[in-house]
Amino acid sequence: MQKELESLWQKCVAFHGHGCGGLAVGFRAVLYAWELFESDSTSEDEEIVCIAETDACGVDAIQALLSCTVGKGNLIFNLQGKNAFSFYRRPDGKSFRLALRPTPEKTKDERLAWLMDGDFHEMFDVKEAPEPVPEEARIFKTVTCSVCGERFAESFAHLQNGEIVCSACYRPYTRGL
C-alpha cells in the first residue's frame, strides 16, 4: 500500500480501534468517493453528507476521513443491512451511491488483503443517489416533558391530554392493534 494511503488507513484504525474487513469497505468507499468528487476534502460543516445503509464498521472510516458525523447532521442512517453509501456534496449538488458488490470467497485475512489492495472500481457499483440531498440539520427548541420532567427537542414532542410529553412517556391510543 502506498505510504499516503497507509497513513489514511492508520487514521481509520486509530478511530475504529482495530483494522478489519468492514473498516476496509468504508475506507475503500471513501477513496472512491474522493475520486468521484475529484477532491479529497473533508466536511468542515455539512458540505458533504453521507447516508449509510449500514451501521457496521465501514461507517467509522467515513467519519474518520470525510468528517461526516451524526452530531453535525451530515451522517444519516437509513439502515437496510447493505454495505452501501450515498454521498452528496452540497456546494455543487454532485451525488452518487456506492454499493459493495459480492466479494470473492476468501478467508478473513485474504478478504482483508483483497479489500485493501484490490481495485475499488471492481468492488463497488456506482449508482444514482436515491434521494435529493437531505436538508441541513436544524436546531430545535427545547421543551420539558410534563410527566418525567426531562428536557428534549421539540421535534420529538407529543401532545397527550393537553400536555407536552416526550416519546418515552407518550402512551399512544391504539385500541390494542
Side-chain angles (χ1 to χ4, degrees), residues 2-154:
Q2 300 169 16
K3 192 171 190 167
E4 179 185 328
L5 292 183
E6 179 64 31
S7 164
L8 293 171
W9 172 247
Q10 289 307 318
K11 183 176 181 179
C12 293
V13 170
F15 182 84
H16 184 63
H18 65 272
C20 63
L23 187 65
V25 169
F27 175 66
R28 301 300 284 192
V30 169
L31 297 179
Y32 204 172
W34 280 341
E35 179 181 287
L36 293 170
F37 279 142
E38 299 174 357
S39 169
D40 62 357
S41 63
T42 62
S43 189
E44 238 178 79
D45 191 20
E46 293 184 52
E47 301 84 7
I48 298 172
V49 178
C50 176
I51 297 179
E53 296 179 32
T54 181
D55 60 357
C57 304
V59 176
D60 282 355
I62 291 164
Q63 291 181 96
L65 298 180
L66 285 178
S67 191
C68 292
T69 68
V70 173
K72 280 196 301 195
N74 64 336
L75 175 59
I76 300 167
F77 291 99
N78 179 14
L79 297 179
Q80 303 295 319
K82 299 177 182 181
N83 272 310
F85 311 94
S86 295
F87 295 97
Y88 305 82
R89 188 168 56 195
R90 288 189 195 282
D92 64 6
K94 184 165 180 122
S95 64
F96 48 86
R97 179 175 179 263
L98 298 178
L100 185 68
R101 294 178 180 156
T103 57
E105 291 295 322
K106 297 182 178 292
T107 67
K108 183 179 173 181
D109 291 338
E110 290 171 338
R111 182 174 185 265
L112 178 58
W114 178 80
L115 286 165
M116 293 301 293
D117 299 324
D119 181 356
F120 54 69
H121 300 98
E122 296 175 7
M123 295 175 188
F124 294 93
D125 286 322
V126 181
K127 301 180 176 188
E128 279 189 43
E131 300 170 25
V133 64
E135 71 175 282
E136 291 187 21
R138 291 191 272 166
I139 298 173
F140 293 94
K141 179 181 173 189
T142 301
V143 295
T144 303
C145 177
S146 63
V147 176
C148 69
E150 294 179 358
R151 310 227 342 116
F152 64 99
E154 179 180 49

